[in-house]
Amino acid sequence: MNLHPVTIVLIVANVLVSLKGFNDRLFFDRYKFGVGAINAGQKDRMLTSGFLHVDMSHLFFNMFTLYFFADVCIDWFGPIKFIIIYVISLIAGSLLALFFHKDEPYYTAVGASGAVTGVLYAAILLEPNMRLGIMFIPIPLPAYVLGIGYLLYSIYGMKKRIGNIGHTAHFGGAIGGYLTTLLFMPSLLVTDTLMVILLAIPIIILFVLAKMGKL
């Protein structure tokens, strides 16, 4: 696969900022997502935290996912709109995390997962029938099946607080990617109505559960 220069720039930026964070704890603590610090006025953390990672495996997984799905969005929209999807997804992930954890001043998070999940969900909306493989499942599945399943799992993870994973940011990123893709290509509402509805189901479930106080 020949990576687009924009994808390479994003990967390099993530690697450089993450390496700086690995070796400089003060830098890491200043720019990570932190509810207390953001509420105190350091709004830049909602963006900068998306370029920091906990360790090399965290960084590799996010960049590996970006490597596979960035070009799908670029092929459809071009590099500028792809960057917009990436940034909006990153910020949407931070906003949803802030919304759900606003009363937890010590809640912190880092990682490009929100942005990358937004790119992934955008790619699925654009090409829902592409086949994706996943560990422990020998047969590749349609992308939309895995996309919906992943968000349903994220809801479960948010509810049960599973692992040291920012499920909320993942979900927020997916919402950002989904909505931005529809904004850029509203014709999907007509040409792929069923898929637009199917991919919206986990999002609707999330907000219904939140409204009911179940999260």
Side-chain angles (χ1 to χ4, degrees):
M1 181 185 294
N2 294 320
L3 284 180
H4 192 282
V6 168
T7 307
I8 295 172
V9 168
L10 281 176
I11 291 174
V12 169
N14 273 277
V15 169
L16 292 178
V17 175
S18 293
L19 289 176
K20 173 68 173 173
F22 295 159
N23 297 302
D24 186 339
R25 190 69 200 186
L26 289 176
F27 178 87
F28 184 89
D29 288 341
R30 169 58 186 86
Y31 293 108
K32 69 184 179 181
F33 181 95
V35 172
I38 291 170
N39 286 336
Q42 293 179 355
K43 308 297 185 187
D44 59 312
R45 291 172 180 258
M46 299 180 72
L47 182 64
T48 58
S49 60
F51 291 89
L52 291 167
H53 290 81
V54 172
D55 53 33
M56 286 300 297
S57 62
H58 185 208
L59 173 64
F60 174 79
F61 182 77
N62 276 332
M63 295 304 99
F64 188 68
T65 305
L66 183 64
Y67 165 81
F68 272 108
F69 294 101
D71 280 0
V72 175
C73 297
I74 293 172
D75 288 345
W76 279 81
F77 292 133
I80 300 300
K81 287 183 177 179
F82 163 70
I83 288 289
I84 293 171
I85 290 172
Y86 187 94
V87 172
I88 287 178
S89 298
L90 195 166
I91 293 172
S94 292
L95 285 172
L96 197 68
L98 188 63
F99 175 77
F100 276 98
H101 300 286
K102 59 182 178 294
D103 297 323
E104 303 171 46
Y106 297 106
Y107 179 88
T108 62
V110 294
S113 301
V116 171
T117 305
V119 170
L120 170 63
Y121 218 62
I124 290 172
L125 184 57
L126 292 166
E127 296 187 16
N129 291 311
M130 63 179 169
R131 296 278 168 165
L132 300 179
I134 189 171
M135 289 186 297
F136 312 120
I137 299 178
I139 302 172
L141 297 173
Y144 73 90
V145 173
L146 290 180
I148 293 168
Y150 179 73
L151 287 197
L152 292 175
Y153 170 74
S154 293
I155 292 174
Y156 178 76
M158 290 164 63
K159 185 175 178 62
K160 299 295 185 181
R161 298 294 181 98
I162 294 176
N164 187 27
I165 300 171
H167 296 287
T168 316
H170 294 184
F171 207 108
I175 294 173
Y178 175 85
L179 293 178
T180 309
T181 299
L182 289 179
L183 179 66
F184 287 156
M185 190 170 287
S187 60
L188 289 170
L189 293 165
V190 176
T191 59
D192 285 288
T193 307
L194 177 60
M195 201 54 60
V196 169
I197 293 171
L198 286 175
L199 290 172
I201 288 173
I203 298 171
I204 294 168
I205 291 173
L206 174 76
F207 286 104
V208 169
L209 290 176
K211 186 72 174 178
M212 294 170 63
K214 299 293 186 180
L215 289 175

